Amino acid sequence: MLWINSVFQSPQWLWLFAALALPIAIHLLRRSNPQKISFAALQWVQRYSQSRARRPIVDNKWLLLLRLLIVALLAFLLAQPLIERDIYPQKAVILVDPRIEAKAANAFIHNVLPQLASADANILWLSPETHSVTSPPPQNVDLWKTLSLLSGRADLRRAHILLINNTFPTSHSALRTSPHWQWHSLKKPVTAQNPVLPSIAVMGSAPSWWTPVLEDWRNTMPGLSVHIVEQEEALNTQQADWLIYAGPAPLPQAVVDFVADGGLLITDHSIQPPDHLSFARVDKSPSVQAAPLERGSWLRYESDWHSAAFYRGANLPKDLWQQWSTQDWPLQHRNRGLWSGTSAMGFPVADSAVENRRRQPLQPWLITALLVLLTLERLIALSRSPRSRTGEVHHG
């Protein structure tokens, strides 16, 4: 009988189906008893009584059927039946630390994560039940145990995690996480414009215009960090924010991981993108395109940036900086400072280990159906006026 446990959360309430006999018994007991009345023309009454005796033993069969359905629905509701459904990752989901007030969480989201606020993100409490923040916050939630529990939920694979601080205690080294989660902390200050300059890395043979452009930037922006990356394994968002890739195609996996973790990739037409990426024009330029890739983005020039035509123009340093910095650099910088921990934190649960089918309860539908049937049953019962019931008794 193990299949019952997989279909019902509380199968012990199925015994209530035995209560289906109660409405039948009540109907049988409440049938009107015929009364003997002596008056003239008795033979007509006898004929009427014989025709009445041929009626079904149970009166009001529709009312009886409704009451049987109500008892059955009540039994189903208490047994909590489950149904399997396909679950897909939702990008616009934010799990909020229960210690944070809902008002403060909403203000943080509108100030720091406006792209989620505009997408009407689903804001939930970080708890096993993941109720909406419009409900009271849960009490005494073990956040680390809850995170491990939620890491296997397919619908929360790409959620944003908002904590009251971003420090993970060393005693929770066995924490299970989703590799797609983005971490945020409420205690970090939020500024409209961040003056911090990005760190730039170059991989491969840089184009000829790079040296004079870099000299111009260093004169106007002292402290700009630029370095050469020779080993792909050493590339990560802790060392660089922007990467100029002038190496061979296709893109190395380390470069793809760098972009997915929040970096900006800059290439020319020699690097062909995958078909699933959707590029958009930058500043209405016919030769510059950008596409989002996980947390970061990819800026691609359709022309050959090694050609002399690419280098022409006195405004090249200004144009390049504007095109690169408009790829959500201020937003990326603010958010990266709010990510708590690194990709090596805890044990990421692989996508292949997540079950994309989940059993969900049917309570909302059953409650609605039960209310409809109760209302219909009362309307039918009240529609039987006392006069009609009295008339039935006298005619009997």
Side-chain angles (χ1 to χ4, degrees), residues 119-162:
D120 196 17
N122 195 13
I123 309 175
L124 310 172
W125 289 121
L126 180 56
S127 64
E129 297 79 15
T130 59
H131 295 307
S132 172
V133 293
T134 56
S135 61
Q139 303 296 324
N140 302 323
V141 176
D142 188 336
L143 296 181
W144 318 117
K145 183 179 179 179
T146 300
L147 285 169
S148 294
L149 176 65
L150 301 181
S151 63
R153 282 184 50 173
D155 55 332
L156 302 178
R157 292 293 285 171
R158 301 185 181 277
H160 292 252
I161 314 296
L162 176 56

Side-chain angles (χ1 to χ4, degrees), residues 73 77 362-375:
L73 274 178
L77 187 61
L362 290 174
Q363 273 82 344
W365 297 100
L366 291 178
I367 291 175
T368 302
L370 183 61
L371 292 176
V372 171
L373 289 181
L374 285 173
T375 303

Side-chain angles (χ1 to χ4, degrees), residues 69-391:
L69 287 176
I70 290 173
V71 175
L73 274 178
L74 182 60
F76 264 114
L77 187 61
L78 294 176
Q80 302 182 59
L82 303 172
I83 184 173
E84 277 197 354
R85 292 181 179 176
D86 292 330
I87 305 298
Y88 302 98
Q90 301 179 21
K91 294 184 179 180
V93 177
I94 305 173
L95 298 176
V96 179
D97 190 330
R99 297 171 294 178
I100 301 175
E101 294 183 358
K103 183 178 180 181
N106 288 325
F108 176 88
I109 293 168
H110 281 82
N111 292 332
V112 182
L113 303 172
Q115 74 278 17
L116 294 181
S118 60
D120 196 17
N122 195 13
I123 309 175
L124 310 172
W125 289 121
L126 180 56
S127 64
E129 297 79 15
T130 59
H131 295 307
S132 172
V133 293
T134 56
S135 61
Q139 303 296 324
N140 302 323
V141 176
D142 188 336
L143 296 181
W144 318 117
K145 183 179 179 179
T146 300
L147 285 169
S148 294
L149 176 65
L150 301 181
S151 63
R153 282 184 50 173
D155 55 332
L156 302 178
R157 292 293 285 171
R158 301 185 181 277
H160 292 252
I161 314 296
L162 176 56
L163 302 176
I164 201 169
N165 58 64
N166 60 0
T167 303
F168 282 83
T170 56
S171 59
H172 294 86
S173 58
L175 172 69
R176 290 161 52 89
T177 64
S178 166
H180 309 291
W181 280 347
Q182 297 189 36
W183 305 87
H184 309 277
S185 172
L186 190 60
K187 286 188 176 180
K188 293 292 182 179
V190 178
T191 56
Q193 295 182 349
N194 202 309
V196 178
L197 298 175
S199 175
I200 305 175
V202 180
M203 182 182 294
S205 300
S208 57
W209 49 263
W210 173 241
T211 300
V213 166
L214 179 59
E215 182 178 356
D216 181 273
W217 287 353
R218 282 176 170 168
N219 292 333
T220 57
M221 294 175 286
L224 184 66
S225 173
V226 180
H227 62 280
I228 305 298
V229 178
E230 297 181 355
Q231 296 182 355
E232 300 170 0
E233 292 77 9
L235 181 65
N236 59 69
T237 54
Q238 304 299 321
Q239 299 175 345
D241 302 302
W242 297 351
L243 171 64
I244 303 174
Y245 182 78
L251 287 176
Q253 185 60 40
V255 175
V256 177
D257 295 340
F258 165 80
V259 183
D261 198 32
L264 171 64
L265 173 64
I266 305 167
T267 69
D268 69 349
H269 75 295
S270 63
I271 310 298
Q272 293 297 323
D275 295 335
H276 69 275
L277 285 184
S278 178
F279 281 83
R281 299 290 181 186
V282 175
D283 296 333
K284 299 180 180 180
S285 173
S287 61
V288 190
Q289 294 181 330
L293 183 62
E294 296 289 343
R295 296 179 180 175
S297 56
W298 181 353
L299 187 72
R300 182 174 179 269
Y301 291 90
E302 294 182 351
S303 58
D304 181 8
W305 65 14
H306 293 278
S307 64
F310 189 93
Y311 184 68
R312 291 196 189 104
N315 292 329
L316 180 64
K318 179 181 179 181
D319 292 340
L320 290 178
W321 184 265
Q322 182 178 5
Q323 292 166 357
W324 298 2
S325 60
T326 52
Q327 304 310 305
D328 289 336
W329 157 244
L331 177 64
Q332 291 180 21
H333 177 77
R334 291 199 303 267
N335 287 353
R336 189 179 303 136
L338 299 172
W339 296 340
S340 56
T342 65
S343 58
M345 176 196 64
F347 295 95
V349 179
D351 293 339
S352 58
V354 177
E355 179 60 46
N356 291 326
R357 293 186 63 85
R358 182 184 176 193
R359 291 186 176 91
Q360 293 184 333
L362 290 174
Q363 273 82 344
W365 297 100
L366 291 178
I367 291 175
T368 302
L370 183 61
L371 292 176
V372 171
L373 289 181
L374 285 173
T375 303
L376 188 59
E377 189 273 341
R378 284 292 84 200
L379 290 175
I380 294 177
L382 294 175
S383 65
R384 299 177 61 218
S385 63
R387 179 178 299 177
S388 63
R389 289 196 296 268
T390 304

Side-chain angles (χ1 to χ4, degrees), residues 8-56:
F8 297 95
Q9 283 186 343
S10 304
Q12 67 272 15
W13 289 101
L14 293 176
W15 66 268
L16 283 177
F17 277 98
L20 290 174
L22 292 178
I24 299 177
I26 292 173
H27 268 71
L28 293 175
L29 291 175
R30 294 186 60 184
R31 284 195 312 153
S32 58
N33 296 321
Q35 300 178 6
K36 293 183 179 180
I37 303 175
S38 299
F39 57 94
L42 185 59
Q43 67 275 14
W44 300 105
V45 177
Q46 289 176 346
R47 291 181 182 179
Y48 178 81
S49 300
Q50 290 174 0
S51 64
R52 181 175 176 84
R54 288 193 294 268
R55 292 184 180 181

